[in-house]
Amino acid sequence: MLVYVLVLIWLIFLIIFIKKRNIFLGIIPIFLLMVLKEPTGPDYNAYANHFTAAKDKTILEMASYKGEIGFHTLIKGLTLLTDNFQWLFVATSVIILVCIAIFFQKNSSDKQLALFFYFTLGIFAFTMAGLRQAVAMAICLFAYEEIKKKRFFRFMLVISIAFLFHQSAVFFIPAYFIGRMKWNIITSFMFVTFYMLSIFSIESIINLVNFNLGYGYEVEYSETGIIYFFILLGITLLSLLCRKQIIHANINNQIFINLQIFVLLLWSLRLLSRTVERPA
């Protein structure tokens, strides 16, 4: 716990005192934390066991695994170079943090502050557990550039690459249309209608996802997540209140606002079922 506090203090120090906004000053301690974390938890052990088992399999055998063939191929490639499974966490951490650094470099006016929110708002904590999905999420950050430039086929190419690491990347496809959406009476009505239908059809939607992606999720009702919901609600309300200033700074920020609203609605569904946490 102490090491997390020290990293947090360092990030705050960078925000306040370091005038040169070099994001790598904040990235380095986070990288060390990701690769040198204590080897505990079922997910960590599962990845370690998978790495060990991959040593005796060919690349074709690893690539033939159902789903996430990119991740399995990455593991096999690493086993050809080393017997130490810790390098899996080094490789995935590099992929995740490089994607984040590039994204912040292009889209944030205060990169250290953006990194601070990445570290504190739960995304980093999820990275430490959901490794495959974290890699897919990081790759999907490149899709934002394609949304800005209205390049749908390139957008789908990025999603396809992310899909090779975790099938949940498919849930990001609606972001292309939501991000570019112009708000008016018709689109607002469609948005609200879709949301209401989702509430009453959540079990059917989850079953449909299970059938098409080969998942085994169940409708896990949970009372947790309410605090994070209010955090997202606060961010959403603040972005709407300051919308004119945000759009004035960069017209493409409307994409972020649209997606933020959608994430808030998704997380409200997460209050009904924990399963929705993955696409949210």
Side-chain angles (χ1 to χ4, degrees):
M1 184 64 181
L2 177 61
V3 67
Y4 290 90
V5 175
L6 292 175
V7 173
L8 181 60
I9 293 173
W10 173 246
L11 293 176
I12 295 173
F13 173 82
L14 293 177
I15 293 171
I16 298 174
F17 297 106
I18 304 299
K19 301 301 181 183
K20 185 178 180 181
R21 302 295 186 179
N22 189 334
I23 193 173
F24 291 101
L25 293 176
I27 287 285
I28 291 173
I30 293 178
F31 171 75
L32 294 175
L33 187 59
M34 291 172 70
V35 301
L36 299 177
K37 68 175 182 177
E38 185 179 357
T40 57
D43 289 328
Y44 188 103
N45 293 329
Y47 288 128
N49 293 335
H50 191 39
F51 185 92
T52 302
K55 297 177 184 178
D56 300 322
K57 299 182 182 297
T58 67
I59 292 180
L60 291 178
E61 286 176 321
M62 291 296 292
S64 66
Y65 275 122
K66 183 180 180 181
E68 285 96 32
I69 62 173
F71 189 79
H72 299 310
T73 304
L74 172 64
I75 290 178
K76 181 57 187 179
L78 290 172
T79 63
L80 299 177
L81 302 174
T82 178
D83 293 330
N84 188 345
F85 67 83
Q86 193 68 31
W87 283 98
L88 171 62
F89 301 101
V90 173
T92 51
S93 297
V94 168
I95 294 172
I96 292 168
L97 292 178
V98 166
C99 292
I100 289 172
I102 294 173
F103 181 78
F104 287 165
Q105 197 72 30
K106 289 184 176 181
N107 299 289
S108 176
S109 58
D110 192 331
K111 301 163 186 59
Q112 301 294 357
L113 186 60
L115 194 61
F116 172 82
F117 285 125
Y118 162 75
F119 188 73
T120 57
L121 289 182
I123 304 175
F124 171 76
F126 178 80
T127 299
M128 302 289 277
L131 191 60
R132 288 175 299 147
Q133 186 170 354
V135 172
M137 288 166 59
I139 295 172
C140 282
L141 292 176
F142 289 107
Y144 172 71
E145 291 298 315
E146 309 313 324
I147 297 176
K148 286 197 301 184
K149 298 174 181 177
K150 301 181 181 180
R151 298 188 297 205
F152 180 71
F153 291 106
R154 291 192 182 187
F155 171 85
M156 289 302 299
L157 177 61
V158 174
I159 299 301
S160 299
I161 295 172
F163 186 82
L164 296 177
F165 288 86
H166 201 276
Q167 294 180 348
S168 63
V170 72
F171 295 125
F172 197 68
I173 293 177
Y176 183 88
F177 307 99
I178 295 169
R180 306 300 314 185
M181 188 172 65
K182 305 296 183 182
W183 290 97
N184 53 48
I185 294 177
I186 296 176
T187 55
S188 298
F189 176 77
M190 291 174 58
F191 210 77
V192 171
T193 301
F194 175 78
Y195 176 68
M196 296 304 296
L197 289 174
S198 298
I199 292 178
F200 295 107
S201 309
I202 188 168
E203 187 168 354
S204 299
I205 293 172
I206 291 173
N207 290 335
L208 182 64
V209 170
N210 288 339
F211 178 78
N212 286 281
L213 297 183
Y215 287 152
Y217 295 143
E218 297 179 355
V219 179
E220 307 172 62
Y221 293 102
S222 173
E223 296 180 356
T224 63
I226 188 68
I227 295 177
Y228 197 70
F229 171 77
F230 280 110
I231 292 174
L232 291 174
L233 178 61
I235 294 173
T236 305
L237 291 176
L238 187 61
S239 65
L240 292 175
L241 288 173
C242 302
R243 180 179 175 275
K244 288 185 178 180
Q245 298 92 314
I246 294 173
I247 300 301
H248 179 73
N250 188 333
I251 192 171
N252 287 314
N253 285 338
Q254 181 64 56
I255 298 173
F256 285 123
I257 295 175
N258 287 0
L259 294 179
Q260 176 62 35
I261 294 171
F262 187 65
V263 168
L264 176 67
L265 296 180
L266 271 180
W267 198 266
S268 68
L269 295 177
R270 188 254 185 246
L271 299 179
L272 301 177
S273 173
R274 186 176 179 274
T275 309
V276 185
E277 183 173 328
R278 285 194 175 272

